[in-house]
PDB file of all heavy atoms in Angstrom:
ATOM      1  N   VAL I  46      75.412 118.809 128.948  1.00  0.00           N
ATOM      2  CA  VAL I  46      76.456 117.827 129.192  1.00  0.00           C
ATOM      3  C   VAL I  46      75.858 116.442 129.310  1.00  0.00           C
ATOM      4  O   VAL I  46      76.340 115.490 128.716  1.00  0.00           O
ATOM      5  CB  VAL I  46      77.242 118.187 130.478  1.00  0.00           C
ATOM      6  CG1 VAL I  46      78.166 117.056 130.892  1.00  0.00           C
ATOM      7  CG2 VAL I  46      78.031 119.475 130.262  1.00  0.00           C
ATOM      8  N   TRP I  47      74.770 116.345 130.057  1.00  0.00           N
ATOM      9  CA  TRP I  47      74.110 115.043 130.211  1.00  0.00           C
ATOM     10  C   TRP I  47      73.617 114.538 128.868  1.00  0.00           C
ATOM     11  O   TRP I  47      73.791 113.374 128.516  1.00  0.00           O
ATOM     12  CB  TRP I  47      72.966 115.192 131.186  1.00  0.00           C
ATOM     13  CG  TRP I  47      72.189 113.901 131.372  1.00  0.00           C
ATOM     14  CD1 TRP I  47      72.478 112.878 132.195  1.00  0.00           C
ATOM     15  CD2 TRP I  47      71.019 113.533 130.645  1.00  0.00           C
ATOM     16  NE1 TRP I  47      71.557 111.879 132.051  1.00  0.00           N
ATOM     17  CE2 TRP I  47      70.629 112.239 131.101  1.00  0.00           C
ATOM     18  CE3 TRP I  47      70.217 114.171 129.676  1.00  0.00           C
ATOM     19  CZ2 TRP I  47      69.512 111.589 130.631  1.00  0.00           C
ATOM     20  CZ3 TRP I  47      69.106 113.486 129.210  1.00  0.00           C
ATOM     21  CH2 TRP I  47      68.757 112.218 129.673  1.00  0.00           C
ATOM     22  N   GLY I  48      73.028 115.476 128.084  1.00  0.00           N
ATOM     23  CA  GLY I  48      72.531 115.078 126.761  1.00  0.00           C
ATOM     24  C   GLY I  48      73.657 114.630 125.845  1.00  0.00           C
ATOM     25  O   GLY I  48      73.506 113.679 125.082  1.00  0.00           O
ATOM     26  N   GLY I  49      74.816 115.341 125.921  1.00  0.00           N
ATOM     27  CA  GLY I  49      75.959 114.970 125.093  1.00  0.00           C
ATOM     28  C   GLY I  49      76.497 113.600 125.457  1.00  0.00           C
ATOM     29  O   GLY I  49      76.851 112.806 124.575  1.00  0.00           O
ATOM     30  N   VAL I  50      76.573 113.304 126.726  1.00  0.00           N
ATOM     31  CA  VAL I  50      77.048 111.987 127.168  1.00  0.00           C
ATOM     32  C   VAL I  50      76.116 110.906 126.667  1.00  0.00           C
ATOM     33  O   VAL I  50      76.541 109.856 126.167  1.00  0.00           O
ATOM     34  CB  VAL I  50      77.159 111.957 128.698  1.00  0.00           C
ATOM     35  CG1 VAL I  50      77.425 110.537 129.191  1.00  0.00           C
ATOM     36  CG2 VAL I  50      78.264 112.898 129.181  1.00  0.00           C
ATOM     37  N   GLU I  51      74.817 111.129 126.816  1.00  0.00           N
ATOM     38  CA  GLU I  51      73.846 110.144 126.372  1.00  0.00           C
ATOM     39  C   GLU I  51      73.904 109.966 124.857  1.00  0.00           C
ATOM     40  O   GLU I  51      73.800 108.857 124.344  1.00  0.00           O
ATOM     41  CB  GLU I  51      72.438 110.561 126.817  1.00  0.00           C
ATOM     42  CG  GLU I  51      72.209 110.465 128.298  1.00  0.00           C
ATOM     43  CD  GLU I  51      72.325 109.034 128.787  1.00  0.00           C
ATOM     44  OE1 GLU I  51      71.661 108.149 128.194  1.00  0.00           O
ATOM     45  OE2 GLU I  51      73.045 108.787 129.766  1.00  0.00           O
ATOM     46  N   LEU I  52      74.067 111.077 124.124  1.00  0.00           N
ATOM     47  CA  LEU I  52      74.101 111.022 122.664  1.00  0.00           C
ATOM     48  C   LEU I  52      75.347 110.255 122.208  1.00  0.00           C
ATOM     49  O   LEU I  52      75.273 109.430 121.269  1.00  0.00           O
ATOM     50  CB  LEU I  52      74.104 112.431 122.073  1.00  0.00           C
ATOM     51  CG  LEU I  52      74.131 112.513 120.539  1.00  0.00           C
ATOM     52  CD1 LEU I  52      72.882 111.865 119.954  1.00  0.00           C
ATOM     53  CD2 LEU I  52      74.237 113.985 120.101  1.00  0.00           C
ATOM     54  N   ARG I  53      76.483 110.505 122.841  1.00  0.00           N
ATOM     55  CA  ARG I  53      77.716 109.798 122.464  1.00  0.00           C
ATOM     56  C   ARG I  53      77.604 108.306 122.754  1.00  0.00           C
ATOM     57  O   ARG I  53      78.002 107.464 121.939  1.00  0.00           O
ATOM     58  CB  ARG I  53      78.897 110.389 123.221  1.00  0.00           C
ATOM     59  CG  ARG I  53      80.209 109.647 122.988  1.00  0.00           C
ATOM     60  CD  ARG I  53      81.389 110.327 123.624  1.00  0.00           C
ATOM     61  NE  ARG I  53      82.584 109.525 123.502  1.00  0.00           N
ATOM     62  CZ  ARG I  53      83.320 109.401 122.410  1.00  0.00           C
ATOM     63  NH1 ARG I  53      82.971 110.058 121.323  1.00  0.00           N
ATOM     64  NH2 ARG I  53      84.395 108.652 122.390  1.00  0.00           N
ATOM     65  N   ALA I  54      77.030 107.973 123.912  1.00  0.00           N
ATOM     66  CA  ALA I  54      76.857 106.576 124.222  1.00  0.00           C
ATOM     67  C   ALA I  54      75.960 105.878 123.201  1.00  0.00           C
ATOM     68  O   ALA I  54      76.224 104.750 122.800  1.00  0.00           O
ATOM     69  CB  ALA I  54      76.266 106.430 125.627  1.00  0.00           C
ATOM     70  N   TRP I  55      74.919 106.582 122.772  1.00  0.00           N
ATOM     71  CA  TRP I  55      74.037 105.992 121.748  1.00  0.00           C
ATOM     72  C   TRP I  55      74.755 105.841 120.411  1.00  0.00           C
ATOM     73  O   TRP I  55      74.653 104.798 119.755  1.00  0.00           O
ATOM     74  CB  TRP I  55      72.818 106.889 121.574  1.00  0.00           C
ATOM     75  CG  TRP I  55      71.972 106.502 120.401  1.00  0.00           C
ATOM     76  CD1 TRP I  55      71.088 105.470 120.313  1.00  0.00           C
ATOM     77  CD2 TRP I  55      71.963 107.125 119.102  1.00  0.00           C
ATOM     78  NE1 TRP I  55      70.508 105.406 119.060  1.00  0.00           N
ATOM     79  CE2 TRP I  55      71.024 106.419 118.292  1.00  0.00           C
ATOM     80  CE3 TRP I  55      72.629 108.219 118.561  1.00  0.00           C
ATOM     81  CZ2 TRP I  55      70.784 106.779 116.987  1.00  0.00           C
ATOM     82  CZ3 TRP I  55      72.379 108.576 117.258  1.00  0.00           C
ATOM     83  CH2 TRP I  55      71.461 107.858 116.456  1.00  0.00           C
ATOM     84  N   ALA I  56      75.535 106.869 120.009  1.00  0.00           N
ATOM     85  CA  ALA I  56      76.221 106.829 118.723  1.00  0.00           C
ATOM     86  C   ALA I  56      77.264 105.737 118.672  1.00  0.00           C
ATOM     87  O   ALA I  56      77.466 105.084 117.632  1.00  0.00           O
ATOM     88  CB  ALA I  56      76.881 108.178 118.448  1.00  0.00           C
ATOM     89  N   LEU I  57      77.925 105.471 119.804  1.00  0.00           N
ATOM     90  CA  LEU I  57      78.996 104.461 119.835  1.00  0.00           C
ATOM     91  C   LEU I  57      78.433 103.025 119.838  1.00  0.00           C
ATOM     92  O   LEU I  57      79.187 102.079 119.580  1.00  0.00           O
ATOM     93  CB  LEU I  57      79.862 104.654 121.060  1.00  0.00           C
ATOM     94  CG  LEU I  57      80.778 105.881 121.048  1.00  0.00           C
ATOM     95  CD1 LEU I  57      81.465 106.060 122.398  1.00  0.00           C
ATOM     96  CD2 LEU I  57      81.821 105.735 119.953  1.00  0.00           C
ATOM     97  N   THR I  58      77.165 102.889 120.103  1.00  0.00           N
ATOM     98  CA  THR I  58      76.581 101.532 120.143  1.00  0.00           C
ATOM     99  C   THR I  58      75.522 101.309 119.086  1.00  0.00           C
ATOM    100  O   THR I  58      75.086 100.179 118.880  1.00  0.00           O
ATOM    101  CB  THR I  58      75.981 101.273 121.543  1.00  0.00           C
ATOM    102  OG1 THR I  58      75.004 102.310 121.830  1.00  0.00           O
ATOM    103  CG2 THR I  58      77.067 101.304 122.612  1.00  0.00           C
ATOM    104  N   SER I  59      75.102 102.370 118.416  1.00  0.00           N
ATOM    105  CA  SER I  59      74.019 102.245 117.454  1.00  0.00           C
ATOM    106  C   SER I  59      74.474 101.501 116.187  1.00  0.00           C
ATOM    107  O   SER I  59      75.535 101.839 115.619  1.00  0.00           O
ATOM    108  CB  SER I  59      73.479 103.617 117.047  1.00  0.00           C
ATOM    109  OG  SER I  59      72.524 103.490 115.993  1.00  0.00           O
ATOM    110  N   PRO I  60      73.724 100.525 115.713  1.00  0.00           N
ATOM    111  CA  PRO I  60      74.071  99.833 114.460  1.00  0.00           C
ATOM    112  C   PRO I  60      73.982 100.769 113.250  1.00  0.00           C
ATOM    113  O   PRO I  60      74.490 100.417 112.190  1.00  0.00           O
ATOM    114  CB  PRO I  60      73.034  98.710 114.383  1.00  0.00           C
ATOM    115  CG  PRO I  60      71.902  99.150 115.252  1.00  0.00           C
ATOM    116  CD  PRO I  60      72.518  99.950 116.333  1.00  0.00           C
ATOM    117  N   ARG I  61      73.381 101.905 113.433  1.00  0.00           N
ATOM    118  CA  ARG I  61      73.266 102.869 112.316  1.00  0.00           C
ATOM    119  C   ARG I  61      74.636 103.355 111.838  1.00  0.00           C
ATOM    120  O   ARG I  61      74.798 103.715 110.672  1.00  0.00           O
ATOM    121  CB  ARG I  61      72.416 104.072 112.756  1.00  0.00           C
ATOM    122  CG  ARG I  61      72.291 105.155 111.707  1.00  0.00           C
ATOM    123  CD  ARG I  61      71.322 106.241 112.150  1.00  0.00           C
ATOM    124  NE  ARG I  61      71.290 107.338 111.202  1.00  0.00           N
ATOM    125  CZ  ARG I  61      70.641 107.323 110.044  1.00  0.00           C
ATOM    126  NH1 ARG I  61      69.974 106.242 109.674  1.00  0.00           N
ATOM    127  NH2 ARG I  61      70.656 108.373 109.248  1.00  0.00           N
ATOM    128  N   PHE I  62      75.628 103.343 112.709  1.00  0.00           N
ATOM    129  CA  PHE I  62      76.955 103.869 112.374  1.00  0.00           C
ATOM    130  C   PHE I  62      78.015 102.771 112.243  1.00  0.00           C
ATOM    131  O   PHE I  62      79.203 102.998 112.439  1.00  0.00           O
ATOM    132  CB  PHE I  62      77.400 104.886 113.432  1.00  0.00           C
ATOM    133  CG  PHE I  62      76.457 106.050 113.558  1.00  0.00           C
ATOM    134  CD1 PHE I  62      75.638 106.165 114.668  1.00  0.00           C
ATOM    135  CD2 PHE I  62      76.373 107.003 112.549  1.00  0.00           C
ATOM    136  CE1 PHE I  62      74.742 107.213 114.778  1.00  0.00           C
ATOM    137  CE2 PHE I  62      75.481 108.065 112.670  1.00  0.00           C
ATOM    138  CZ  PHE I  62      74.671 108.171 113.782  1.00  0.00           C
ATOM    139  N   GLN I  63      77.607 101.582 111.852  1.00  0.00           N
ATOM    140  CA  GLN I  63      78.537 100.501 111.615  1.00  0.00           C
ATOM    141  C   GLN I  63      79.129 100.582 110.204  1.00  0.00           C
ATOM    142  O   GLN I  63      78.422 100.879 109.248  1.00  0.00           O
ATOM    143  CB  GLN I  63      77.828  99.136 111.791  1.00  0.00           C
ATOM    144  CG  GLN I  63      77.479  98.836 113.231  1.00  0.00           C
ATOM    145  CD  GLN I  63      76.794  97.479 113.359  1.00  0.00           C
ATOM    146  OE1 GLN I  63      76.407  96.872 112.370  1.00  0.00           O
ATOM    147  NE2 GLN I  63      76.640  97.001 114.611  1.00  0.00           N
ATOM    148  N   LEU I  64      80.450 100.332 110.123  1.00  0.00           N
ATOM    149  CA  LEU I  64      81.150 100.433 108.838  1.00  0.00           C
ATOM    150  C   LEU I  64      80.644  99.371 107.853  1.00  0.00           C
ATOM    151  O   LEU I  64      80.613  98.183 108.169  1.00  0.00           O
ATOM    152  CB  LEU I  64      82.652 100.250 109.066  1.00  0.00           C
ATOM    153  CG  LEU I  64      83.556 100.290 107.830  1.00  0.00           C
ATOM    154  CD1 LEU I  64      83.475 101.650 107.132  1.00  0.00           C
ATOM    155  CD2 LEU I  64      84.997  99.975 108.199  1.00  0.00           C
ATOM    156  N   GLN I  65      80.299  99.838 106.656  1.00  0.00           N
ATOM    157  CA  GLN I  65      79.804  98.935 105.616  1.00  0.00           C
ATOM    158  C   GLN I  65      80.624  99.037 104.327  1.00  0.00           C
ATOM    159  O   GLN I  65      80.689  98.100 103.549  1.00  0.00           O
ATOM    160  CB  GLN I  65      78.336  99.225 105.315  1.00  0.00           C
ATOM    161  CG  GLN I  65      77.390  98.980 106.458  1.00  0.00           C
ATOM    162  CD  GLN I  65      75.950  99.283 106.100  1.00  0.00           C
ATOM    163  OE1 GLN I  65      75.607  99.434 104.921  1.00  0.00           O
ATOM    164  NE2 GLN I  65      75.094  99.412 107.114  1.00  0.00           N
ATOM    165  N   GLU I  66      81.235 100.195 104.070  1.00  0.00           N
ATOM    166  CA  GLU I  66      81.920 100.410 102.778  1.00  0.00           C
ATOM    167  C   GLU I  66      83.250 101.108 102.991  1.00  0.00           C
ATOM    168  O   GLU I  66      83.332 102.118 103.693  1.00  0.00           O
ATOM    169  CB  GLU I  66      81.014 101.228 101.866  1.00  0.00           C
ATOM    170  CG  GLU I  66      81.627 101.548 100.513  1.00  0.00           C
ATOM    171  CD  GLU I  66      80.758 102.451  99.672  1.00  0.00           C
ATOM    172  OE1 GLU I  66      79.632 102.744 100.088  1.00  0.00           O
ATOM    173  OE2 GLU I  66      81.224 102.895  98.609  1.00  0.00           O
ATOM    174  N   VAL I  67      84.320 100.580 102.357  1.00  0.00           N
ATOM    175  CA  VAL I  67      85.638 101.196 102.369  1.00  0.00           C
ATOM    176  C   VAL I  67      86.077 101.350 100.902  1.00  0.00           C
ATOM    177  O   VAL I  67      86.114 100.380 100.143  1.00  0.00           O
ATOM    178  CB  VAL I  67      86.658 100.333 103.132  1.00  0.00           C
ATOM    179  CG1 VAL I  67      88.038 101.010 103.082  1.00  0.00           C
ATOM    180  CG2 VAL I  67      86.212 100.145 104.562  1.00  0.00           C
ATOM    181  N   SER I  68      86.413 102.580 100.506  1.00  0.00           N
ATOM    182  CA  SER I  68      86.851 102.842  99.116  1.00  0.00           C
ATOM    183  C   SER I  68      88.245 103.437  99.126  1.00  0.00           C
ATOM    184  O   SER I  68      88.601 104.196 100.034  1.00  0.00           O
ATOM    185  CB  SER I  68      85.880 103.774  98.417  1.00  0.00           C
ATOM    186  OG  SER I  68      85.800 105.023  99.070  1.00  0.00           O
ATOM    187  N   PHE I  69      89.048 103.075  98.104  1.00  0.00           N
ATOM    188  CA  PHE I  69      90.419 103.560  97.966  1.00  0.00           C
ATOM    189  C   PHE I  69      90.573 104.292  96.636  1.00  0.00           C
ATOM    190  O   PHE I  69      89.959 103.918  95.621  1.00  0.00           O
ATOM    191  CB  PHE I  69      91.405 102.396  97.976  1.00  0.00           C
ATOM    192  CG  PHE I  69      91.632 101.781  99.329  1.00  0.00           C
ATOM    193  CD1 PHE I  69      90.819 100.762  99.786  1.00  0.00           C
ATOM    194  CD2 PHE I  69      92.662 102.237 100.132  1.00  0.00           C
ATOM    195  CE1 PHE I  69      91.021 100.191 101.013  1.00  0.00           C
ATOM    196  CE2 PHE I  69      92.887 101.646 101.385  1.00  0.00           C
ATOM    197  CZ  PHE I  69      92.062 100.629 101.831  1.00  0.00           C
ATOM    198  N   THR I  70      91.421 105.323  96.637  1.00  0.00           N
ATOM    199  CA  THR I  70      91.839 105.978  95.384  1.00  0.00           C
ATOM    200  C   THR I  70      93.369 106.121  95.444  1.00  0.00           C
ATOM    201  O   THR I  70      93.963 106.215  96.489  1.00  0.00           O
ATOM    202  CB  THR I  70      91.217 107.374  95.217  1.00  0.00           C
ATOM    203  OG1 THR I  70      91.555 108.186  96.368  1.00  0.00           O
ATOM    204  CG2 THR I  70      89.702 107.284  95.098  1.00  0.00           C
ATOM    205  N   GLY I  71      93.983 106.082  94.235  1.00  0.00           N
ATOM    206  CA  GLY I  71      95.422 106.284  94.135  1.00  0.00           C
ATOM    207  C   GLY I  71      96.259 105.033  94.223  1.00  0.00           C
ATOM    208  O   GLY I  71      97.490 105.123  94.264  1.00  0.00           O
ATOM    209  N   LEU I  72      95.628 103.863  94.188  1.00  0.00           N
ATOM    210  CA  LEU I  72      96.414 102.629  94.282  1.00  0.00           C
ATOM    211  C   LEU I  72      96.946 102.214  92.953  1.00  0.00           C
ATOM    212  O   LEU I  72      96.238 102.212  91.933  1.00  0.00           O
ATOM    213  CB  LEU I  72      95.543 101.488  94.865  1.00  0.00           C
ATOM    214  CG  LEU I  72      95.028 101.690  96.297  1.00  0.00           C
ATOM    215  CD1 LEU I  72      94.273 100.442  96.737  1.00  0.00           C
ATOM    216  CD2 LEU I  72      96.170 101.980  97.244  1.00  0.00           C
ATOM    217  N   SER I  73      98.223 101.850  92.929  1.00  0.00           N
ATOM    218  CA  SER I  73      98.858 101.315  91.736  1.00  0.00           C
ATOM    219  C   SER I  73      99.692 100.089  92.082  1.00  0.00           C
ATOM    220  O   SER I  73      99.493  99.018  91.522  1.00  0.00           O
ATOM    221  CB  SER I  73      99.736 102.389  91.076  1.00  0.00           C
ATOM    222  OG  SER I  73     100.357 101.869  89.917  1.00  0.00           O
TER     223      SER I  73
END
Side-chain angles (χ1 to χ4, degrees):
V46 170
W47 178 84
V50 170
E51 290 296 310
L52 181 61
R53 175 174 174 78
W55 170 78
L57 289 172
T58 57
S59 173
R61 177 174 175 78
F62 300 107
Q63 289 180 349
L64 179 62
Q65 296 180 14
E66 179 185 353
V67 179
S68 60
F69 285 88
T70 57
L72 296 184
S73 180

